[in-house]
Amino acid sequence: MIKSIKFWLNIIILIAFLLEMIFFPSFSNLLGSLMALISWIIYSFFLRKKIILQFPFAFLMFTSMFLNRYLPIIATLIEGKPVNFGMELPAETFFYEIILFPISALAFYYACLKRGFVKNSKITILLYKVNFFKVTSGTIWGLGFIGLLIRIYTLQYEYTEFSDVGGKFIIGLRYLLYSPIILLFPDLIDGLKYNSKKLVWAYLILISILNISTNSREEIISPIGVYILLFFLNSVKSNLKLSDIISPGKAIIIGLFLFFGLSILSDLSLAMIYNRRIRTELNKEQLFLETLNVYRNDEIMSALRTAADSKDSETTSYNLGWDETYIDNFMLNRYANMRINDQTLYYAKKRGFGDPEMIDYFIDRTIGLLPSPILSLFGISLNKESLNYSPGDILYGQYGGKRVASHVGTGLSTFSYWYFPIQFILFFLVFKLLNTFVFYSRNNEFLYAPFALINVFEFLGMFRNSAGSIKDLSFIIRGYLEGIVTYLIVFIVISFILSLFNKSRNINNLN
């Protein structure tokens, strides 16, 4: 399977490189093409079965770094655009991205491969002792049920209403909704057996419908993303070939499904964006019904498609406002919007590298990652609500929009050229922590933590344009431990309830 993936990715990038130079010849487009090609050459070195199975979760984050450089040239060519479409500093943007990717690759290498042999860390051993790698089908359904209740409960409110400790705890467990998807791939969990897959498929359809009610495009694609990534990992582990998985007939069916499925998702996305103007006025049920009404209205949808096509063919100068227009497809736009990288760099240069306000923001956000009781213990007064804005907002000079920004732009704006060694350290630590979710047994088997398998789609998005380096630091200082602790609390409670239920059932059987 890996050989087939390598072959096709190699063919695609070579064709894309050639087409880019034929139809859009320019120095900046050459750099953009080289960015994709160099990233592929480096990434292909790590694209091996052994590496994927030993470090699957770190590999997914590394893959998100690769996709951010590889996809732009592919996506823009499909839409008939140059890779530098709408960009104002394309040569500099591509140059800095070319520099950062080898640094990211070195961090991955030193975190995963430098030692030359596999050894469990002390953290991994501790997690294994508290049954972090163990789970039963009943517990998985219990986790999914908790996630489902949280989804139904949160549909009644906006996420901004969950600002207290209890609310944040609830919101932090939303990912449990996708737990039962693991049951479609029981071989990924040590000792797990499950055969009732029709029930899982029914559940998957249910949560996909519920996710439409959130009016969030990311929520809609999340269950699909979790399934695809688990399918990929399971196929690699089972040593399946593409020909074993996809016959010519299945390939046609999948192709038709993707063609019509992406069209449906694109239209749903337009309907959601259209309804965002009224979503604060409606509850989730009303918003869901209104979204379906818009989707079924041919006249409105036709007008929305026309407006979207017109918008995507024109860009606004950065001087006139924040503009993220780059790729039409909303899913590709999440992983391949190089124009955000360019725009972030543009405003970073405008403010100057090593900007004092960006440094203060990074320091305050770092302090704000610590729990309030700890801050009070050390006499630190910090209003965390006052930090409810993003690095992109600072760069743009308008607070409150939570504009997404790139790693390079925010990093240079904060640390100047010290950003690159600092980012290396942060990536190294994140990769190390992600590797603790894999336990290496004595019989050379790799055991994967159910918590990590549920979050695979989250790991693939860890390098997406967002808040830059502070997001990596947030995972290191708080997100990693918080995720483990909250999962274990729910896991232990569900396991306890199931054990009581089983004991009661056994007693009744004896009587």
Side-chain angles (χ1 to χ4, degrees), residues 69 96-97 100 344-345 348 406-413 419-420:
R69 280 95 175 181
Y96 283 125
E97 296 297 336
L100 181 58
T344 308
L345 183 62
S406 71
H407 271 74
V408 170
T410 56
L412 289 172
S413 181
Y419 159 71
F420 292 106

Side-chain angles (χ1 to χ4, degrees), residues 16-309:
F17 192 108
L18 183 63
L19 292 176
E20 186 76 24
M21 291 298 95
I22 291 175
F23 294 107
F24 307 108
S26 72
F27 176 68
S28 62
N29 286 334
L30 174 62
L31 280 179
S33 303
L34 285 173
M35 175 189 70
L37 183 60
I38 292 171
S39 299
W40 163 241
I41 291 171
I42 295 173
Y43 179 76
S44 63
F45 171 80
F46 297 99
L47 186 56
R48 305 177 190 178
K49 176 183 177 180
K50 186 177 180 180
I51 292 176
I52 294 172
L53 293 180
Q54 287 183 355
F55 316 102
F57 310 117
F59 181 80
L60 283 176
M61 181 182 175
F62 183 58
T63 298
S64 71
M65 299 172 177
F66 161 69
L67 292 176
N68 185 251
R69 280 95 175 181
Y70 183 89
L71 288 178
I73 188 174
I74 312 297
T76 50
L77 278 172
I78 290 173
E79 297 179 0
K81 304 172 184 175
V83 71
N84 68 355
F85 176 75
M87 298 170 67
E88 298 188 23
L89 298 174
E92 290 182 68
T93 298
F94 295 139
F95 174 73
Y96 283 125
E97 296 297 336
I98 289 173
I99 290 177
L100 181 58
F101 190 70
I103 292 173
S104 309
L106 278 175
F108 181 78
Y109 172 79
Y110 278 99
C112 304
L113 305 173
K114 174 62 175 174
R115 181 179 291 176
F117 60 92
V118 177
K119 183 180 179 181
N120 292 311
S121 68
K122 292 181 179 179
I123 297 176
T124 306
I125 294 172
L126 177 61
L127 291 175
Y128 183 80
K129 289 181 178 179
V130 296
N131 292 324
F132 191 67
F133 293 85
K134 294 286 186 180
V135 73
T136 64
S137 59
T139 306
I140 289 176
W141 276 115
L143 294 170
F145 181 69
I146 295 296
L148 184 61
L149 289 178
I150 291 173
R151 167 62 75 229
I152 295 172
Y153 179 67
T154 55
L155 283 177
Q156 304 174 57
Y157 307 97
E158 292 293 327
Y159 290 148
T160 52
E161 297 183 41
F162 295 88
S163 57
D164 60 339
V165 175
K168 289 179 179 178
F169 177 80
I170 291 173
I171 290 298
L173 295 173
R174 283 176 297 161
Y175 69 92
L176 294 177
L177 180 69
Y178 309 119
S179 303
I181 301 177
I182 298 176
L183 295 173
L184 294 173
F185 311 99
D187 291 342
L188 293 176
I189 301 287
D190 181 44
L192 182 64
K193 302 293 180 183
Y194 194 77
N195 297 316
S196 304
K197 294 187 178 181
K198 289 183 179 179
L199 182 60
V200 182
W201 282 109
Y203 176 83
L204 188 55
I205 293 171
L206 171 63
I207 63 174
S208 297
I209 295 173
L210 276 175
N211 281 355
I212 296 175
S213 305
T214 65
N215 204 248
S216 167
R217 295 179 292 179
E218 182 172 0
E219 297 289 355
I220 289 179
I221 64 175
S222 289
I224 301 171
V226 172
Y227 174 82
I228 291 174
L229 293 177
L230 292 180
F231 176 83
F232 170 73
L233 183 57
N234 186 69
S235 299
V236 174
K237 184 178 180 181
S238 303
N239 203 28
L240 296 176
K241 298 179 181 178
L242 280 179
S243 57
D244 298 331
I245 302 170
I246 306 175
S247 63
K250 286 183 178 179
I252 294 173
I253 294 173
I254 291 173
L256 291 172
F257 174 79
L258 288 174
F259 178 80
F260 290 107
L262 289 176
S263 177
I264 292 171
L265 284 174
S266 181
D267 283 351
L268 275 175
S269 172
L270 290 175
M272 287 178 177
I273 293 173
Y274 179 77
N275 281 331
R276 283 180 181 174
R277 59 193 171 85
I278 58 171
R279 67 178 178 181
T280 56
E281 304 169 11
L282 306 175
N283 61 39
K284 294 296 184 179
E285 181 182 353
Q286 293 170 327
L287 188 60
F288 172 71
L289 294 175
E290 187 60 30
T291 299
L292 290 183
N293 288 335
V294 173
Y295 176 76
R296 290 195 296 249
N297 191 312
D298 293 336
E299 185 178 343
I300 294 178
M301 289 307 303
S302 178
L304 290 175
R305 293 188 198 102
T306 301
D309 290 341

